[in-house]
Amino acid sequence: CGVDILSSQKALALAAQYPFLWAAVGIHGQEAGRAKPGDLNRLLPLLEEPRAVALGEIGLDYHYDDGAPREVLLQRYKPRGVMHCFSGSVEMARDLVGIGMYIGLGGAVTFKNARRPIEVAAWLPEDRLLIETDAPYMTPAPFRGKRNSSALIPYTAEKIAQVRGMTPEQVLRMTRENAER
């Protein structure tokens, strides 16, 4: 996932090198202040590259920056995409699913105090749920405090399966199909 021009170019180079990788290119909101004049014009051709499949990571990270007008951004533009590392409520998830977004859940569903992520995991329609790492952060229990990786996705899938009344294998199959779609 690119967060500026250089990291977007690096993401594309990695995707070109490894057939199982795809790239997202973009300028994250936290990087926008460092963007140079013309960066948007440099970004647009990157989106035309065969291994570029998404515009992102583009921001809305309210953990660090709470100045964006939350109530209008997504409703106005109705993007197709993923609200990754989702930490919102079921009501917010309902609004996002209503405009066609996917919801990415990670290790937070395994945390002892996880109330909202579990409620969201239980509520989400099957065709809108994704599992992610948000590596190196949000490592699932019992590995909290260590570096996260995709090798730990089964722990997240196991918890989601538990709250949905499914097997981990069913959750992994369903979320793989959603990611491919």
Side-chain angles (χ1 to χ4, degrees):
C1 228
V3 297
D4 58 19
I5 298 299
L6 182 59
S7 62
S8 294
Q9 291 168 332
K10 287 181 178 181
L12 283 168
L14 279 172
Q17 188 176 353
Y18 298 100
F20 55 88
L21 291 180
W22 300 88
V25 301
I27 300 173
H28 192 284
Q30 292 174 326
E31 299 298 321
R34 290 185 275 280
K36 298 175 182 80
D39 273 359
L40 183 58
N41 290 333
R42 292 173 60 203
L43 180 66
L44 295 176
L46 299 180
L47 287 165
E48 300 299 323
E49 293 289 329
R51 302 298 291 179
V53 294
L55 174 64
E57 171 150 345
I58 59 171
L60 304 183
D61 190 342
Y62 299 123
H63 179 73
Y64 297 105
D65 179 13
D66 205 15
R70 297 181 190 200
E71 64 279 356
V72 298
L73 280 164
L74 298 177
Q75 291 296 331
R76 179 176 177 190
Y77 297 104
K78 296 183 177 29
R80 285 185 6 188
V82 178
M83 186 59 69
H84 97 100
C85 195
F86 185 75
S87 61
S89 65
V90 169
E91 293 75 24
M92 183 184 287
R94 188 175 288 120
D95 289 344
L96 293 167
V97 167
I99 63 170
M101 300 284 288
Y102 289 85
I103 303 293
L105 297 176
V109 299
T110 69
F111 297 174
K112 267 194 240 180
N113 63 349
R115 181 183 54 82
R116 289 197 313 182
I118 288 177
E119 290 171 352
V120 170
W123 174 82
L124 272 172
E126 284 191 9
D127 67 337
R128 292 293 152 185
L129 173 62
L130 296 173
I131 297 178
E132 61 174 312
T133 63
D134 197 28
Y137 311 108
M138 306 300 284
T139 308
F143 300 100
R144 286 196 69 182
K146 295 187 167 74
R147 182 178 175 84
N148 200 4
S149 77
S150 57
L152 301 178
I153 284 177
Y155 292 90
T156 302
E158 185 177 338
K159 183 63 176 186
I160 292 171
Q162 179 186 6
V163 301
R164 292 181 70 91
M166 302 171 76
T167 67
E169 293 76 19
Q170 289 172 314
V171 169
L172 290 167
R173 185 177 331 102
M174 172 184 70
T175 55
R176 186 194 74 231
E177 290 170 1
N178 290 344
E180 289 172 350
R181 189 173 41 260

